[in-house]
Amino acid sequence: MSVRAGVDLAHERLRQHATIVAAVLSFAFVLGVALLERAQGAVGAADRALTGGVFGVGLPLVCYFLVGRACAGTSLPQALLPLARHGLDRGALTLGLALPPALLAAGFGGLSSLLVVLVTRGPGDPRLLADAWTSLTIGVVSGPAYVGALLGASALGRRGQGRTWLLAADFLLGAGDSFLAFPWPKGHIRNLLGGSAVLELSQLGALVALLGTSLAFLLLGRLRAQR
Amino acid sequence: MRAQLRAAALGPLRGADLDLEPGRYVVLGSEREPQILLVALLAGAERPKRGNALLDGRSPAASPEARRKVAALLGDEALPPAKTVQHSVAKALAARNGNASAAAGLLADAGLAQLAEVDPRRLGPRETRSVALALALAHDAAELFALHEPLTTLLAAQFVLGRLDHHTARGAIVLGCTTSPADASVLGGQWLCVEHGRLRTQERTTLRLGAGPWQRVLVETPDARTLSQLLVESPHGLATELVSPDALTVIGPALDVTVHELLTLARKHELELRRIEAAVPPVEALLAARAGFARAAYEASRAAAIAPHHPPTSLPQGPEAP
């Protein structure tokens, strides 16, 4: 009951024109980056566009936007209040609230990475299908991972400033590969795409770390909202 | 149901000690006082930074079961997001295990039928609070009603008071918070005063003499003793001091409430009131007197400067200390 109500809460908040506008702009940005990278040279264009445009900038910002909308621009406990005050469980509501933005983020991550690979490689490239499948998978996993982490961080700060702090930390600290980059999604996604590894983790280790840290953020946020 | 706040503190609410059993209560304080936080703590919308807020021993912020027994009107209300107000109300009713199909009837009963098809995002703060109050007043399973300024919404006062009487009669705790002594008087019940961010439930005798926005009123009547006895039995926690057989001082919260109670009792018991006067002059009167004194002092010194060969004009006396 509470999970369903949480899903409905997020669905109603995301069912706005602004969400469609943001999606169109984000796809346009990703496409623009792909075209620019291809214009600079076909060799390595897909990698540059994916690590920079899609997973470096586009996906984190889209997830930040989606979580902000799902939380109605406020903190996680306040976002749950309209239903939690009537007796619904905040923990279950949190999980429900995470589902719609996670699905949208998975869709954006998958489609945008697919689009970038198609544009940068071209239809005649023999590695097109393999690259497209790998990028699609990483996009589908990375979107929900970002949403989980950002939603959990939204429990910090009176107006949910925690998600802004997490985004800033992801951009600044996630760019490295030391232990400081470990809690943030960016370094692990870079590893999955074939870039430098955080703490020299394998790709499987990076996948586990990405999902594990995101889940940890989400559960911490859930715990904080429940108290 | 027993609602308790034990040294509960959150932001400007520096310490609240309350122990409420079923009955009617009204919290009165100035606009600077954090009454909004008091309601938020009792409703489980916020948790105290220090101390505890407990409903039957459980924290409403942590326990969904405890929150289900609370009907609240918060200072800043937000309805569940939905296409229309009616859908929003239906979601709230479903969340408290109520009958969601009763939403239209609930709005109509409260006189808010015209809002049923409106997008909740288009409602103003007062309309949103009105819908939230209608939802709270319709909560027949609630054991605690914590309402911030319940008489300032679009709902008719008679409707609100009728519903509150109904819930009080069935054994709920009904707590209203207001900054208006007139509204507090209409809401009725035991008065509690929040001052400098602090609130205490006190025994009635202590309450009369305790801190609060208390005012003294001088009353002259042929039978001061009888009037004193009547005032002591008043539900507003008035205290009296007999000055002489035909004069007494009445100490009460806010001048208008005290004087209203005096007039009501005098009319009811056919007592003659010869004089009613505030013992402490209003702040504005003191400020005006001080301004007059300063102006007179300035004029005197100016006159002395213009005519240096004459002896200086004596300064006027200042206002008497209250």
Side-chain angles (χ1 to χ4, degrees), chain A residues 1 8-9 12-13 15-16 78 81-90 158 224-227, chain B residues 44-47 61-62 64 67-68 72 74 77-78 80-83 91-92 94-96 121:
Chain A
M1 167 67 187
D8 185 57
L9 196 62
E12 285 293 340
R13 286 175 179 157
R15 198 176 51 83
Q16 312 286 340
Q78 288 299 314
L81 189 61
L83 289 176
R85 63 183 292 190
H86 296 295
L88 293 188
D89 178 49
R90 284 196 172 106
R158 280 203 72 78
R224 197 173 158 80
Q226 262 182 319
R227 280 195 297 159
Chain B
E46 300 274 2
R47 61 193 160 87
R67 286 199 298 275
R68 202 166 287 147
L74 303 170
E77 277 291 349
K83 285 178 192 168
K91 283 182 183 180
R96 61 162 82 141
R121 289 171 302 167

Side-chain angles (χ1 to χ4, degrees), chain A residues 20-41:
Chain A
I20 298 167
V21 171
V24 169
L25 286 175
S26 306
F27 277 116
F29 169 74
V30 165
L31 185 64
V33 170
L35 289 170
L36 281 173
E37 292 292 356
R38 188 178 165 81
Q40 285 207 333

Side-chain angles (χ1 to χ4, degrees), chain A residues 140-203:
Chain A
V140 168
V141 171
S142 305
Y146 262 114
V147 166
L150 288 165
L151 192 66
S154 298
L156 297 171
R158 280 203 72 78
R159 299 199 58 80
Q161 298 95 323
R163 58 178 171 268
T164 310
W165 304 334
L166 186 132
L167 190 73
D170 185 59
F171 274 112
L172 296 172
L173 303 176
D177 48 17
S178 69
F179 73 97
L180 288 175
F182 184 80
W184 323 113
K186 187 188 279 288
H188 303 302
I189 294 171
R190 188 181 60 235
N191 188 355
L192 290 175
L193 289 165
S196 63
V198 176
L199 299 178
E200 298 182 354
L201 286 172
S202 66
Q203 288 199 320

Side-chain angles (χ1 to χ4, degrees), chain B residues 142-173:
Chain B
E143 294 178 34
L144 167 64
F145 289 79
L147 309 170
H148 180 257
E149 298 287 6
L151 297 181
T152 60
T153 67
L154 299 173
L155 271 61
Q158 286 308 315
F159 174 78
V160 176
L161 294 170
R163 295 300 301 169
L164 292 182
D165 288 344
H166 162 72
H167 292 302
T168 311
R170 69 175 179 79
I173 300 171

